[in-house]
Amino acid sequence: MFSFDDPAPLLPSSALLLPPASLSPLLTAPRLRALEKRYAEAALMEKAGAAALQFLAPLLSEKQKHVNGSIVIVCGPGNNGGDGLTLARLLREQGFAPCVIAPATAALPPDAAEALTAFLARGGVLHTTLPDFSEPPAIIVDALFGIGLNRALGAPFDGLIRWINDTRVAPRSQQARPYVVSLDIPSGLSGDTGIAYAPTVRADATLSFIALKPGLLTLDGPDHCGELHFTTLDIPADDLAANAEAEALHHRFIETHLPLPMRRRFHNVHKGRFGCLGIVGGATGMSGAPLLAGRAAARLGAGKIRVGFLGEAPLFDPACPELMLHPASAMLPLSHDAWAVGCGLGLSSSAAEVLTAVLAFDAPLLLDADALTLLGQHSEWITRVAQRHAPTVLTPHPAEAARLLQCSTDDIQRDRPQTAREIAQRYRAHTVLKGSGSIIAAPEGSWCINATGNPALSFGGSGDVLTGMIGALLAQGVEASLALRYAVCLHGAAADALVKKGEGPLGVLSEDLIRSALGLVRSAAQMFID
C-alpha cells in the first residue's frame, strides 16, 4: 500500500514525489548507481538520514528520549548502513539514544565511514553484536543492505534479520510489537527482481530513496515492504524520468488515462459504434470461463459480444442475456472488431483449429489461458503471431509464460521484468505477465509494473474477467498498449476497492470484481462530463 496522498504527509512536500499519482519512474540498480554518482556532491546520505527522521517523527515520543534501546538501528557494511548511522546521529541531536548495531564497520565506504565518525562524535555507542534487551524495542530501523544485493546473506547478518522478524511477530508480555522500518529496501530483497533471499526483513513500512525500484513492486516485494513511501532526496523529477527504465502504474492511472470511448457517450450513437467482440473458449465443462469474460466486456462498454463454445453452447446466460451465444464453428466466419480466445478453450485438436483460424484474422487478438498453452506447444506458430499485422495481446500467468518460452516456472519468476520483455519481443505482442506486481511489456521493449491489486484476485475466473476487460477496450478501438495497461490497472484497483470496503480479500468472486471495476470507471468518467 502506498502513502502518496496521506492527509498529513510524513515527509516535506518538496521531498515527497507525488506521482500525478498515475505513473512514477522505476530505476534499476545500475541506473540508480549512475544517478548517485552524478549527484555525489549533493549530500544524498545526509538527506536520506533527514528524510528517515522526518518519517519517524510521528512515531517518536518524549518518553523514548529516556529509554535507551527503545529505538534500534541495525546497520550494514555499505552506504545503506551509512544512511542508518546518519539517522542515528540526527536522533542523538534530538535527544534520543538509539541503540546502533553494526557488526562490520572495518571497510565502510567513505561517506558511510564519515557518518560513523559523526555518530561517535555525538556520543554514540556502537554495538557489534545483538545486545540483551529487557523489553522489545518500540522501533527497529533496518539499514542493513540496499539495492545491490543479489544473494542470500550469511552470518552475522542473517541472524540479525531473523531477530528483526522474530521480534516483530512475537512481542513479549503485554508490550506492543516493534514497528519495523526499512530504509530504501527491506534487507534481503533484490531491488531489480523482487526475489526475497531467505531471510528477508518483513517491514511495516519501507522508505525508498530517490525512486521506486522494480523489486519493491513485484514477486516477493509487496509481502516484505509494508506501506511503501518514497522521497526523491531533491533530485529533480525530470532527471528521474529521463533515467527511468520503466514506470509504475498507480490507482490514479484509471482517472488520468481513461480511454476516450469511456469518457462520455453522446446521444447520437448506437451499439455498432462501440465495437463487436468475439470471445471463443468454453470446452465441455469450462463454459463458465468465456461467460465471465463476456460479462466483464459487457460492463466495460463493448457494443456487441458474441461468445463461441467448443463444447455445447448454452441457450443464453441468465446473468447477462445480452451476450449472444454460439457454437465456436459458427462464430469464426463472422466479422468482429476484436477477438479474445482461450478462456476454457481446452487443448483438443478442435481448439488448435480455432487458434489456427484466428491467427489469420486482421483484427486485434487477445490470447489467454489454453490458447497460450497451445501456442507454446507449436513453435511454428511463433512466426505467425509475430508477423500479424493487427495487434496481438498475450496474458500469461507464470506457468503459461514458461510454456511460451520453453523453460521452467522458476526461470520465469527469477526475473519477471526480463521474462515479460522477452515474450513481448519474441512474439511481437503486448504482454502482461500476471502475478504479484504484474509486468506489462510492449513489443518495442518498454515496460511497466502494475502497483494495484491484492490477494482478492486469487480465485478461478479472475483472469477471465481481465480478458473481458481488455477485449472490451480493444473492440472499442482503444490502442492495444493502453487497453492492456488500463485494464490491468483497473482489474487490480477494483480488488483494492473491495478490500478497502471490507469485502475481501477472502471470498471475492467475478461479479464482485466486475461491479467494483464499473464503479471506478463511472467515477473516473465524471471528471470528463461538461
Side-chain angles (χ1 to χ4, degrees), residues 171-449:
R172 284 175 257 172
S173 67
Q174 299 301 312
Q175 297 289 327
R177 69 174 181 82
Y179 189 81
V180 176
V181 178
S182 287
L183 299 187
D184 206 26
I185 191 169
S187 295
L189 183 70
S190 167
D192 287 347
T193 67
I195 294 174
Y197 297 99
T200 293
V201 169
R202 288 191 179 273
D204 293 291
T206 298
L207 177 59
S208 186
F209 299 133
I210 300 179
L212 293 177
K213 293 80 182 170
L216 296 171
L217 303 177
T218 195
L219 197 62
D220 299 318
D223 286 324
H224 288 267
C225 292
E227 286 194 347
L228 185 52
H229 306 246
F230 72 96
T231 172
T232 64
L233 303 185
D234 294 329
I235 293 179
D238 289 347
D239 213 357
L240 292 175
N243 287 275
E245 183 162 330
E247 295 175 310
L249 305 184
H250 303 296
H251 182 279
R252 278 202 59 209
F253 189 84
I254 297 165
E255 300 169 1
T256 59
H257 290 73
L258 183 68
L260 188 61
M262 305 168 76
R263 293 186 184 184
R264 180 175 180 180
R265 298 208 163 178
F266 294 93
H267 291 279
N268 187 22
V269 294
H270 54 82
K271 62 187 177 185
R273 289 282 296 274
F274 302 112
C276 182
L277 175 63
I279 300 173
V280 182
T284 300
M286 294 184 285
S287 60
L291 289 176
L292 293 178
R295 293 172 190 174
R299 286 296 188 182
L300 257 69
K304 295 190 293 183
I305 303 162
R306 296 191 183 104
V307 184
F309 296 83
L310 266 72
E312 185 175 355
L315 294 176
F316 75 107
D317 179 10
C320 190
E322 294 84 355
L323 302 177
M324 297 174 283
L325 312 184
H326 307 271
S329 58
M331 280 270 297
L332 297 178
L334 302 176
S335 176
H336 295 81
D337 295 293
W339 291 84
V341 178
C343 298
L345 185 70
L347 305 176
S348 66
S349 58
S350 297
E353 290 172 4
V354 167
L355 187 53
T356 300
V358 297
L359 288 177
F361 293 164
D362 190 22
L365 171 63
L366 183 155
L367 300 179
D368 182 34
D370 292 332
L372 298 173
T373 297
L374 286 170
L375 198 57
Q377 292 175 351
H378 296 79
S379 57
E380 68 275 14
W381 287 350
I382 296 177
T383 302
R384 294 190 62 184
V385 174
Q387 291 180 345
R388 294 187 75 248
H389 296 295
T392 306
V393 176
L394 306 180
T395 60
H397 57 53
E400 291 160 349
R403 294 166 197 148
L404 291 174
L405 294 181
Q406 302 297 309
C407 62
S408 70
T409 303
D410 287 344
D411 292 332
I412 297 299
Q413 298 289 69
R414 196 168 289 120
D415 192 337
R416 287 171 52 79
Q418 177 56 33
T419 292
R421 284 177 285 172
E422 185 175 347
I423 294 172
Q425 291 170 17
R426 181 178 298 188
Y427 289 87
R428 206 173 65 84
H430 299 274
T431 300
V432 56
L433 176 59
K434 296 184 287 194
S436 174
S438 293
I439 313 292
I440 303 167
E444 82 282 355
S446 64
W447 59 283
C448 60
I449 300 181

Side-chain angles (χ1 to χ4, degrees), residues 81-149:
D83 296 337
L85 291 164
T86 302
L87 169 63
R89 188 203 84 226
L90 293 172
L91 282 167
R92 288 197 64 82
E93 291 173 357
Q94 295 290 321
F96 295 92
C99 173
V100 177
I101 305 168
T105 58
L108 285 173
D111 287 350
E114 288 183 19
L116 173 59
T117 299
F119 168 66
L120 296 175
R122 287 288 181 179
V125 176
L126 198 67
H127 297 269
T128 57
T129 59
L130 192 64
D132 183 18
F133 296 102
S134 58
E135 296 289 346
I139 299 169
I140 299 175
V141 177
D142 159 34
L144 278 168
F145 289 90
I147 59 173
L149 190 72

